[in-house]
Amino acid sequence: QVQLIQSGGGLVQAGGSLRLSCAASGRTLRAEFLAWFRQTPGKERDFVGATRWSGGDPDYADSVKGRFTISRDNARKTMYLQMDSLIPEDTAVYYCAAADSYLFGTTKSMYSRYDYWGQGTQVTVSS
């Protein structure tokens, strides 16, 4: 099992920045892929970005590309989501996720492919 504990988030004005953290524990070596998703009421979870513990450039959704940055600290077993130039449309509950499998292409953005989830954290961007 892998446990994911999130921290960060909150309320920020448009144009501001926030950083989310996702700390992994348990059998983290089994988790190959890490990702961030976000969800607004009544909608499915949308892909934000994904990375791998073993390295490589992260992938991002077009809606956040150039504004959000995913990074990892493997020693701390923690993934981060740095969110800059926030806009009201970024308001959502953000979730981190981990997958045991290696994910190819578009499967990285499919929430059903992820095995473990953080508890979620609210991000609110005011206009």
Side-chain angles (χ1 to χ4, degrees), residues 30-83:
R30 290 190 59 193
E32 179 68 23
F33 266 82
L34 304 167
W36 291 98
F37 287 79
R38 63 187 182 185
Q39 188 171 24
T40 54
K43 295 187 177 180
E44 291 189 343
R45 291 186 185 183
D46 287 334
F47 175 74
V48 173
T51 188
R52 294 177 61 191
W53 279 124
S54 56
D57 293 332
D59 296 302
Y60 298 97
D62 288 343
S63 58
V64 306
K65 203 171 293 184
R67 300 188 299 119
F68 289 12
T69 304
I70 293 174
S71 60
R72 303 174 320 276
D73 183 336
N74 286 28
R76 297 178 182 269
K77 296 182 181 179
T78 301
M79 175 178 63
Y80 303 97
L81 179 65
Q82 177 66 41
M83 303 182 291

Side-chain angles (χ1 to χ4, degrees), residues 75-123:
R76 297 178 182 269
K77 296 182 181 179
T78 301
M79 175 178 63
Y80 303 97
L81 179 65
Q82 177 66 41
M83 303 182 291
D84 299 318
S85 302
L86 283 160
I87 59 178
E89 289 75 16
D90 294 320
T91 296
V93 177
Y94 284 71
Y95 296 90
C96 64
D100 286 332
S101 308
Y102 185 90
L103 302 178
F104 294 86
T106 58
T107 61
K108 299 175 190 177
S109 65
M110 298 170 64
Y111 67 82
S112 60
R113 296 301 184 107
Y114 289 83
D115 304 293
Y116 312 102
W117 291 88
Q119 78 275 21
T121 186
Q122 178 70 45
V123 170

